[in-house]
PDB file of all heavy atoms in Angstrom:
ATOM      1  N   ASN A 610     -70.462  39.990 -30.698  1.00  0.00           N
ATOM      2  CA  ASN A 610     -71.410  40.958 -31.265  1.00  0.00           C
ATOM      3  C   ASN A 610     -72.037  41.785 -30.146  1.00  0.00           C
ATOM      4  O   ASN A 610     -73.155  41.528 -29.707  1.00  0.00           O
ATOM      5  CB  ASN A 610     -72.482  40.234 -32.090  1.00  0.00           C
ATOM      6  CG  ASN A 610     -73.259  41.203 -32.979  1.00  0.00           C
ATOM      7  OD1 ASN A 610     -72.809  42.305 -33.235  1.00  0.00           O
ATOM      8  ND2 ASN A 610     -74.426  40.763 -33.430  1.00  0.00           N
ATOM      9  N   PRO A 614     -75.393  48.202 -35.202  1.00  0.00           N
ATOM     10  CA  PRO A 614     -75.021  49.093 -36.296  1.00  0.00           C
ATOM     11  C   PRO A 614     -75.750  50.429 -36.209  1.00  0.00           C
ATOM     12  O   PRO A 614     -76.761  50.536 -35.517  1.00  0.00           O
ATOM     13  CB  PRO A 614     -75.428  48.303 -37.539  1.00  0.00           C
ATOM     14  CG  PRO A 614     -76.521  47.410 -37.076  1.00  0.00           C
ATOM     15  CD  PRO A 614     -76.237  47.049 -35.661  1.00  0.00           C
ATOM     16  N   ASP A 639     -70.607  49.245 -38.334  1.00  0.00           N
ATOM     17  CA  ASP A 639     -70.666  48.500 -37.078  1.00  0.00           C
ATOM     18  C   ASP A 639     -69.257  48.397 -36.535  1.00  0.00           C
ATOM     19  O   ASP A 639     -68.313  48.139 -37.278  1.00  0.00           O
ATOM     20  CB  ASP A 639     -71.253  47.102 -37.333  1.00  0.00           C
ATOM     21  CG  ASP A 639     -71.659  46.406 -36.043  1.00  0.00           C
ATOM     22  OD1 ASP A 639     -70.908  46.512 -35.049  1.00  0.00           O
ATOM     23  OD2 ASP A 639     -72.719  45.771 -36.037  1.00  0.00           O
ATOM     24  N   LEU A 642     -66.384  43.131 -35.611  1.00  0.00           N
ATOM     25  CA  LEU A 642     -65.699  42.523 -36.741  1.00  0.00           C
ATOM     26  C   LEU A 642     -66.612  41.524 -37.431  1.00  0.00           C
ATOM     27  O   LEU A 642     -67.598  41.042 -36.865  1.00  0.00           O
ATOM     28  CB  LEU A 642     -64.424  41.815 -36.279  1.00  0.00           C
ATOM     29  CG  LEU A 642     -63.347  42.679 -35.599  1.00  0.00           C
ATOM     30  CD1 LEU A 642     -62.190  41.804 -35.132  1.00  0.00           C
ATOM     31  CD2 LEU A 642     -62.854  43.757 -36.547  1.00  0.00           C
ATOM     32  N   HIS A 643     -66.254  41.237 -38.679  1.00  0.00           N
ATOM     33  CA  HIS A 643     -66.973  40.190 -39.405  1.00  0.00           C
ATOM     34  C   HIS A 643     -66.814  38.869 -38.659  1.00  0.00           C
ATOM     35  O   HIS A 643     -65.726  38.602 -38.154  1.00  0.00           O
ATOM     36  CB  HIS A 643     -66.413  40.089 -40.823  1.00  0.00           C
ATOM     37  CG  HIS A 643     -67.176  39.188 -41.723  1.00  0.00           C
ATOM     38  ND1 HIS A 643     -68.378  39.557 -42.302  1.00  0.00           N
ATOM     39  CD2 HIS A 643     -66.923  37.914 -42.130  1.00  0.00           C
ATOM     40  CE1 HIS A 643     -68.827  38.556 -43.036  1.00  0.00           C
ATOM     41  NE2 HIS A 643     -67.950  37.550 -42.945  1.00  0.00           N
ATOM     42  N   PRO A 644     -67.910  38.064 -38.525  1.00  0.00           N
ATOM     43  CA  PRO A 644     -69.228  38.128 -39.184  1.00  0.00           C
ATOM     44  C   PRO A 644     -70.288  38.876 -38.397  1.00  0.00           C
ATOM     45  O   PRO A 644     -71.486  38.638 -38.644  1.00  0.00           O
ATOM     46  CB  PRO A 644     -69.579  36.659 -39.338  1.00  0.00           C
ATOM     47  CG  PRO A 644     -68.993  36.023 -38.110  1.00  0.00           C
ATOM     48  CD  PRO A 644     -67.744  36.786 -37.781  1.00  0.00           C
ATOM     49  N   ASN A 645     -69.887  39.730 -37.447  1.00  0.00           N
ATOM     50  CA  ASN A 645     -70.871  40.426 -36.617  1.00  0.00           C
ATOM     51  C   ASN A 645     -71.238  41.794 -37.190  1.00  0.00           C
ATOM     52  O   ASN A 645     -71.774  42.642 -36.476  1.00  0.00           O
ATOM     53  CB  ASN A 645     -70.321  40.599 -35.194  1.00  0.00           C
ATOM     54  CG  ASN A 645     -70.100  39.261 -34.507  1.00  0.00           C
ATOM     55  OD1 ASN A 645     -70.907  38.341 -34.661  1.00  0.00           O
ATOM     56  ND2 ASN A 645     -69.002  39.139 -33.755  1.00  0.00           N
ATOM     57  N   THR A 646     -70.968  42.009 -38.463  1.00  0.00           N
ATOM     58  CA  THR A 646     -71.285  43.304 -39.083  1.00  0.00           C
ATOM     59  C   THR A 646     -72.229  43.086 -40.274  1.00  0.00           C
ATOM     60  O   THR A 646     -73.333  42.578 -40.099  1.00  0.00           O
ATOM     61  CB  THR A 646     -69.994  43.999 -39.513  1.00  0.00           C
ATOM     62  OG1 THR A 646     -69.263  43.136 -40.383  1.00  0.00           O
ATOM     63  CG2 THR A 646     -69.106  44.320 -38.311  1.00  0.00           C
ATOM     64  N   ASP A 647     -71.841  43.495 -41.450  1.00  0.00           N
ATOM     65  CA  ASP A 647     -72.688  43.340 -42.643  1.00  0.00           C
ATOM     66  C   ASP A 647     -72.686  41.879 -43.086  1.00  0.00           C
ATOM     67  O   ASP A 647     -71.804  41.107 -42.647  1.00  0.00           O
ATOM     68  CB  ASP A 647     -72.147  44.262 -43.755  1.00  0.00           C
ATOM     69  CG  ASP A 647     -70.727  43.904 -44.161  1.00  0.00           C
ATOM     70  OD1 ASP A 647     -69.775  44.435 -43.506  1.00  0.00           O
ATOM     71  OD2 ASP A 647     -70.563  43.133 -45.095  1.00  0.00           O
ATOM     72  N   PRO A 648     -73.683  41.515 -43.958  1.00  0.00           N
ATOM     73  CA  PRO A 648     -74.667  42.414 -44.582  1.00  0.00           C
ATOM     74  C   PRO A 648     -75.712  42.920 -43.592  1.00  0.00           C
ATOM     75  O   PRO A 648     -76.109  42.192 -42.683  1.00  0.00           O
ATOM     76  CB  PRO A 648     -75.277  41.563 -45.684  1.00  0.00           C
ATOM     77  CG  PRO A 648     -75.092  40.144 -45.220  1.00  0.00           C
ATOM     78  CD  PRO A 648     -73.812  40.108 -44.458  1.00  0.00           C
ATOM     79  N   PHE A 649     -76.063  44.239 -43.801  1.00  0.00           N
ATOM     80  CA  PHE A 649     -77.064  44.856 -42.928  1.00  0.00           C
ATOM     81  C   PHE A 649     -78.461  44.766 -43.589  1.00  0.00           C
ATOM     82  O   PHE A 649     -78.587  44.789 -44.828  1.00  0.00           O
ATOM     83  CB  PHE A 649     -76.711  46.330 -42.678  1.00  0.00           C
ATOM     84  CG  PHE A 649     -75.382  46.506 -41.983  1.00  0.00           C
ATOM     85  CD1 PHE A 649     -74.315  47.129 -42.610  1.00  0.00           C
ATOM     86  CD2 PHE A 649     -75.202  46.042 -40.687  1.00  0.00           C
ATOM     87  CE1 PHE A 649     -73.104  47.301 -41.972  1.00  0.00           C
ATOM     88  CE2 PHE A 649     -73.987  46.220 -40.041  1.00  0.00           C
ATOM     89  CZ  PHE A 649     -72.940  46.835 -40.673  1.00  0.00           C
ATOM     90  N   LYS A 650     -79.443  44.732 -42.689  1.00  0.00           N
ATOM     91  CA  LYS A 650     -80.854  44.717 -43.145  1.00  0.00           C
ATOM     92  C   LYS A 650     -81.474  46.069 -42.791  1.00  0.00           C
ATOM     93  O   LYS A 650     -81.446  46.492 -41.638  1.00  0.00           O
ATOM     94  CB  LYS A 650     -81.621  43.592 -42.466  1.00  0.00           C
ATOM     95  CG  LYS A 650     -83.076  43.504 -42.886  1.00  0.00           C
ATOM     96  CD  LYS A 650     -83.761  42.347 -42.135  1.00  0.00           C
ATOM     97  CE  LYS A 650     -85.244  42.261 -42.518  1.00  0.00           C
ATOM     98  NZ  LYS A 650     -85.949  41.163 -41.763  1.00  0.00           N
ATOM     99  N   ASN A 670     -74.635  45.390 -49.417  1.00  0.00           N
ATOM    100  CA  ASN A 670     -74.641  44.888 -48.040  1.00  0.00           C
ATOM    101  C   ASN A 670     -74.597  46.000 -47.004  1.00  0.00           C
ATOM    102  O   ASN A 670     -74.932  45.785 -45.838  1.00  0.00           O
ATOM    103  CB  ASN A 670     -73.455  43.952 -47.813  1.00  0.00           C
ATOM    104  CG  ASN A 670     -73.618  42.623 -48.530  1.00  0.00           C
ATOM    105  OD1 ASN A 670     -74.728  42.263 -48.950  1.00  0.00           O
ATOM    106  ND2 ASN A 670     -72.514  41.882 -48.683  1.00  0.00           N
ATOM    107  N   VAL A 692     -81.962  49.212 -38.635  1.00  0.00           N
ATOM    108  CA  VAL A 692     -80.909  48.472 -39.301  1.00  0.00           C
ATOM    109  C   VAL A 692     -80.449  47.357 -38.367  1.00  0.00           C
ATOM    110  O   VAL A 692     -80.291  47.556 -37.160  1.00  0.00           O
ATOM    111  CB  VAL A 692     -79.736  49.400 -39.681  1.00  0.00           C
ATOM    112  CG1 VAL A 692     -79.125  50.080 -38.461  1.00  0.00           C
ATOM    113  CG2 VAL A 692     -78.640  48.626 -40.430  1.00  0.00           C
ATOM    114  N   THR A 693     -80.224  46.174 -38.953  1.00  0.00           N
ATOM    115  CA  THR A 693     -79.886  44.981 -38.174  1.00  0.00           C
ATOM    116  C   THR A 693     -78.630  44.362 -38.759  1.00  0.00           C
ATOM    117  O   THR A 693     -78.492  44.239 -39.984  1.00  0.00           O
ATOM    118  CB  THR A 693     -81.031  43.959 -38.231  1.00  0.00           C
ATOM    119  OG1 THR A 693     -82.244  44.574 -37.801  1.00  0.00           O
ATOM    120  CG2 THR A 693     -80.716  42.759 -37.351  1.00  0.00           C
ATOM    121  N   ASP A 694     -77.647  43.942 -37.868  1.00  0.00           N
ATOM    122  CA  ASP A 694     -76.421  43.310 -38.361  1.00  0.00           C
ATOM    123  C   ASP A 694     -76.634  41.817 -38.538  1.00  0.00           C
ATOM    124  O   ASP A 694     -77.733  41.296 -38.320  1.00  0.00           O
ATOM    125  CB  ASP A 694     -75.247  43.625 -37.443  1.00  0.00           C
ATOM    126  CG  ASP A 694     -75.413  43.065 -36.039  1.00  0.00           C
ATOM    127  OD1 ASP A 694     -76.194  42.114 -35.859  1.00  0.00           O
ATOM    128  OD2 ASP A 694     -74.733  43.597 -35.110  1.00  0.00           O
ATOM    129  N   SER A 695     -75.519  41.112 -38.885  1.00  0.00           N
ATOM    130  CA  SER A 695     -75.605  39.681 -39.183  1.00  0.00           C
ATOM    131  C   SER A 695     -75.081  38.824 -38.048  1.00  0.00           C
ATOM    132  O   SER A 695     -74.806  37.626 -38.238  1.00  0.00           O
ATOM    133  CB  SER A 695     -74.811  39.374 -40.470  1.00  0.00           C
ATOM    134  OG  SER A 695     -75.339  40.065 -41.572  1.00  0.00           O
ATOM    135  N   GLY A 696     -74.857  39.410 -36.883  1.00  0.00           N
ATOM    136  CA  GLY A 696     -74.343  38.639 -35.773  1.00  0.00           C
ATOM    137  C   GLY A 696     -75.337  37.614 -35.260  1.00  0.00           C
ATOM    138  O   GLY A 696     -76.515  37.641 -35.574  1.00  0.00           O
ATOM    139  N   LYS A 697     -74.819  36.717 -34.435  1.00  0.00           N
ATOM    140  CA  LYS A 697     -75.652  35.687 -33.817  1.00  0.00           C
ATOM    141  C   LYS A 697     -75.431  35.737 -32.317  1.00  0.00           C
ATOM    142  O   LYS A 697     -74.374  35.304 -31.855  1.00  0.00           O
ATOM    143  CB  LYS A 697     -75.299  34.315 -34.360  1.00  0.00           C
ATOM    144  CG  LYS A 697     -75.617  34.162 -35.847  1.00  0.00           C
ATOM    145  CD  LYS A 697     -75.269  32.774 -36.346  1.00  0.00           C
ATOM    146  CE  LYS A 697     -75.588  32.613 -37.835  1.00  0.00           C
ATOM    147  NZ  LYS A 697     -75.247  31.267 -38.336  1.00  0.00           N
ATOM    148  N   PRO A 698     -76.456  36.210 -31.592  1.00  0.00           N
ATOM    149  CA  PRO A 698     -77.707  36.775 -32.111  1.00  0.00           C
ATOM    150  C   PRO A 698     -77.443  38.158 -32.727  1.00  0.00           C
ATOM    151  O   PRO A 698     -76.492  38.826 -32.347  1.00  0.00           O
ATOM    152  CB  PRO A 698     -78.569  36.873 -30.883  1.00  0.00           C
ATOM    153  CG  PRO A 698     -77.600  37.055 -29.772  1.00  0.00           C
ATOM    154  CD  PRO A 698     -76.404  36.244 -30.128  1.00  0.00           C
ATOM    155  N   PRO A 699     -78.340  38.582 -33.662  1.00  0.00           N
ATOM    156  CA  PRO A 699     -78.147  39.886 -34.300  1.00  0.00           C
ATOM    157  C   PRO A 699     -78.479  41.020 -33.349  1.00  0.00           C
ATOM    158  O   PRO A 699     -79.209  40.847 -32.385  1.00  0.00           O
ATOM    159  CB  PRO A 699     -79.110  39.837 -35.492  1.00  0.00           C
ATOM    160  CG  PRO A 699     -80.164  38.879 -35.081  1.00  0.00           C
ATOM    161  CD  PRO A 699     -79.525  37.837 -34.227  1.00  0.00           C
ATOM    162  N   MET A 700     -77.944  42.221 -33.701  1.00  0.00           N
ATOM    163  CA  MET A 700     -78.255  43.410 -32.935  1.00  0.00           C
ATOM    164  C   MET A 700     -78.856  44.445 -33.881  1.00  0.00           C
ATOM    165  O   MET A 700     -78.448  44.568 -35.042  1.00  0.00           O
ATOM    166  CB  MET A 700     -77.004  43.990 -32.255  1.00  0.00           C
ATOM    167  CG  MET A 700     -76.411  43.066 -31.202  1.00  0.00           C
ATOM    168  SD  MET A 700     -75.197  43.907 -30.165  1.00  0.00           S
ATOM    169  CE  MET A 700     -76.236  44.986 -29.226  1.00  0.00           C
TER     170      MET A 700
END
Side-chain angles (χ1 to χ4, degrees):
N610 195 18
D639 194 319
L642 299 177
H643 188 77
N645 296 321
T646 56
D647 62 272
F649 298 115
K650 180 180 179 182
N670 289 344
V692 59
T693 305
D694 63 22
S695 299
K697 295 181 180 180
M700 295 193 70

